[in-house]
Amino acid sequence: MKLTVNGIQRDITRAQAEKRLIDYLREDLDLTGAKIGCEVGACGTCTVLVNDRPVKSCLKRVNEVADASILTIEGLAAQDGTLHPLQQAFIDAGAVQCGFCTPGMILVAHALLLSNPAPTRAEIRRAIHGNLCRCTGYQQIIDAVEMAASFYGKK
Amino acid sequence: MPDVKEKGWRNDAYAKVTGKAKYSDDLKFVNMLHAVPVYSDYVHAKLVQVHTAEAEASPGVVKVLTSRDVPGSNHFGQIIRDFRIFADDKIRYHGDVVAMVVAETRAQALQAAARVRIEAEPLPALLDAEEALRPDAILVHENHGSNIINTHHVRRGDIEKGFAVSELILERVYETQFIEHAYMEPEVSVCLPRPDGVMEVRGSMQHPFSTRRFVATCLGVPLAAVEVVGMPLGGGFGGKDDTAAIVCARTALAARLLNRPVKMAYSREWSIRESYKRHPYRVYYKMGLTRTGEIRAVQCKIIADGGAYCSVTPWVTWRSTVQCCGPYAVEHVHCDTWGVYTNNVVTGAMRGFGSPQMNFVIESIIEEAAAELGLPAIELRRRNMVRQGSVTITGQKLDNHTVSMEQVLDTVFQEIGYEKKLGCCSHGQGDGEELYGIGLAMSYRGVSLGAEGVDFCAAIINVQADGSVILDVGVHENGQGSETAMSLILAQELGIDLDVIHYKRSSTSTIPDSGTTVASRGTIMGGGAVALAARELKLKIAKLFAAELDCAPEEVRFVANQLIGKDEKKSLPFAEAIRRMFQMQQFPYALGVYRAPQVTWDEEIGQGNAYFTWVYGCQAVELTVNKTTGKVKLLNAVACHDVGKAINNTMLVGQFFGGMAMGTGYALHEDLNVVDGKISHGNLNRYHLPRALDLPEMKAVVVENYDAVSPTGAKSIGEPTNEIMAPAIANAIFHATGVRHYKLPIKITAQDSTKGGR
Ligand code: FES
Ligand code: FES
């Protein structure tokens, strides 16, 4: 089986296929942006996008996402390191404190904005509800998503 | 300088939004082993033997460690040396670690851990803090002689006289729960035995110096033989001190004995099971007032469940004692506080540190008293609150800083439109499904450690020959943005661009032991040290170039990357001055030390100048309570705090919001639900942390009364924002339902919400 991760196609061995997606990403590809916070699907620090939809990678085996396209936080900025406007908005809005929830938060927000480029604050709350943040009270995360929305609208 | 007042620049933001930031569990080293802890299922038991042979024979296992393998001391602690690196004589709580399995892979270690057999004789468990005080109570630590970890007192005035002149006396009992810090990153440690004989410790902990003491004591080596290196930390909130340090000590032990890098990454379940929590309190509170609303007397008895080990219980409960009357000046006070051992989970430092519990009590009872007297609660607060020159209940005269209690209260009052909205509250009556209420609470808080401990901090500024700057400070980045705040203070002081400043992630081997980054002391202590170092450096530079600038050294100003003389036209680029200093055999280097002003304390009577300065805060919330389900929905929240001076607005308000969110969880949702000494909400799917839909839109109002005690004028913010949310919510719920709650978290039954109010 194959998997596309951040635009690169990967061949999956039988052993890899049995792994949790989070472990495959962190251990085999050294993509450590996705974090392990609970392993029961409650915190969202392990969130990645599978075909543009947020998935808690602690809950999925690699073989459950066969042939899909995966986006991790490492794949969001441009090749030359220029930040994606959503990442920049997270910085500008002060949405980053300890940063442990940040990769997951950015990715769920990215998925939201891809499908709904003009969300209300209530819609943003609903979209990030599955991701915990202990530092920010979510207020500035929601600000950041709002700030970045105009960019998606333009596309 | 980037416009950080507007934008959220932080030195670590790029790494964090791109996933490049390497947290402890992201580290990998060649030949690295993996360790996992082994627990027993006992809450209290005599430990007879730990059988490790079968586990040791498991595939991939290199070694199984127990207390017998500790070369140094198996016992350590910051106040009482009662923590065990591994359980030895007894198992004292469900989170006690009996052994540790070290294997080639984590999976192998986990497999083997199940094969460690623990032989123990169960003992009856002590699970209630008040019972712990009985003379015939089960002893958690036999050698200690009793279950009393500590006592504190306040004796002021004449309590009997105080009640004699009171016309209204209220007596209430309050209870609070065990809660979890729930930093998103569980504990991790990675230890590297270095060829130079030094044990390098990295890990998810917030007190590198304390960690170093734990590690050195466990290994039986001098402090200098351990280097604790800070890593990006996924949150701490006070929770990554003792128990996180012990995780590091065990990992270091394995690395030392096996001479290979070792990683121990905690699962969330282990983290919740083992790490210390916020102390549950039982508080007996009696308040006497005159008919006109002067608080005459307060008598209180505070019992804090310290759990199985002391941790910092004496310090936590000291703050509760000092602040046992909230921001009110009371003439006659009699307070007795106990921290006690039980076989419950350990409790220790957590954001707020003994004040959230007491503020819930005080800010609840004050409203009840007002209602009894037929006075507006705000009026009662105004009559009794501390003002400029007031004397606190410990005899401290508040005259060295601006006492802004009334200012912050007024600000919140106006901002949320309190008066008008109070008139709209349901008080248990109403036609619709939702009952409406508004509530507020306020507090003052002693800044930093106060009489808890020695309080000083170091900063090193080391300017390189090209004008770039290395900054090293003794406070720790827990995620709050302290590195950024320190960099901003330096840029401001030296008048240089932020991008030439490189913050050196501190290591215990390069900066003097500056204590812990708790007690909201990061900005005031660390920032103070940076400012003093910068001032010393400026003088050093100015002395060399003043003549050239035609003025005295004291007249040289540092702005816009220039040294500027008294005559504006005389100037010299900063980088040029630095380059020339090296030619003159002068290092542009300075060590700054900020020593907290002296505090005084008489433990017998609980009197003295407890803290060198204070912060003032007020918060209000609006909410609805559903009549049928009892579900609380927050509609709005406003907070105002006097921070002295804002260093970085964006991050400052982030502290407001984060604290308010955490306080909301404390009020309404969070409870570890400890039953028979075992935590039943042991992972984040059962433990209810506030999520985005649980919280309202929040507003932060910053008040800045420059504090001359602080070299930067800034005080603190991390904890104040967290400590008054619960009473504000409790008061709003009362105004909605007419029912008063004395227990956290607040559980509203359908019956409550239709009972109706006064
Ligand atoms: S680690 Fe996957 S949801 Fe928490
Ligand atoms: S920034 Fe720390 S958990 Fe969200």
Side-chain angles (χ1 to χ4, degrees), chain A residues 33-101:
Chain A
K35 306 292 181 208
I36 300 177
C38 72
E39 300 175 273
V40 292
C43 74
T45 59
C46 64
T47 305
V48 299
L49 300 193
V50 176
N51 299 331
D52 287 345
R53 300 181 65 101
V55 160
K56 289 176 174 160
S57 65
C58 68
L59 295 181
K60 284 265 186 274
R61 301 268 152 202
V62 172
N63 57 24
E64 291 177 82
V65 294
D67 302 319
S69 170
I70 312 271
L71 179 71
T72 74
I73 190 68
E74 290 89 347
L76 195 59
Q79 288 284 324
D80 68 355
T82 307
L83 293 180
H84 184 281
L86 179 59
Q87 291 170 312
Q88 189 61 51
F90 263 66
I91 298 179
D92 294 347
V96 180
Q97 286 190 34
C98 83
F100 207 75
C101 71

Side-chain angles (χ1 to χ4, degrees), chain A residues 32 35 42 81 98 125 134 138, chain B residues 14 22-23 26 670 690-691:
Chain A
T32 56
K35 306 292 181 208
C98 83
R125 280 187 192 276
R134 189 55 151 171
Y138 310 98
Chain B
Y14 182 87
K22 289 285 179 198
Y23 296 74
D26 302 337
E670 295 182 37
R691 291 178 180 272

Side-chain angles (χ1 to χ4, degrees), chain B residues 64-80:
Chain B
V64 179
L65 301 172
T66 66
S67 63
R68 288 193 309 264
D69 297 298
V70 175
S73 170
N74 188 48
H75 297 189
F76 196 58
Q78 299 192 71
I79 301 173
I80 299 179

Side-chain angles (χ1 to χ4, degrees), chain B residues 502-519:
Chain B
H502 291 265
Y503 191 97
K504 181 185 171 303
R505 192 157 266 282
S506 39
S507 136
T508 52
S509 296
T510 64
I511 191 87
D513 183 345
S514 300
T516 174
T517 306
V518 296

Side-chain angles (χ1 to χ4, degrees), chain B residues 508-558:
Chain B
T508 52
S509 296
T510 64
I511 191 87
D513 183 345
S514 300
T516 174
T517 306
V518 296
S520 308
R521 67 190 280 279
T523 307
I524 188 164
M525 299 303 298
V530 172
L532 295 180
R535 287 165 204 174
E536 189 180 313
L537 179 64
K538 284 194 283 193
L539 196 59
K540 189 170 180 180
I541 301 173
K543 275 185 183 152
L544 297 171
F545 299 101
E548 213 170 295
L549 297 168
D550 259 348
C551 63
E554 294 73 24
E555 289 167 335
V556 177
R557 288 180 305 126
F558 289 70

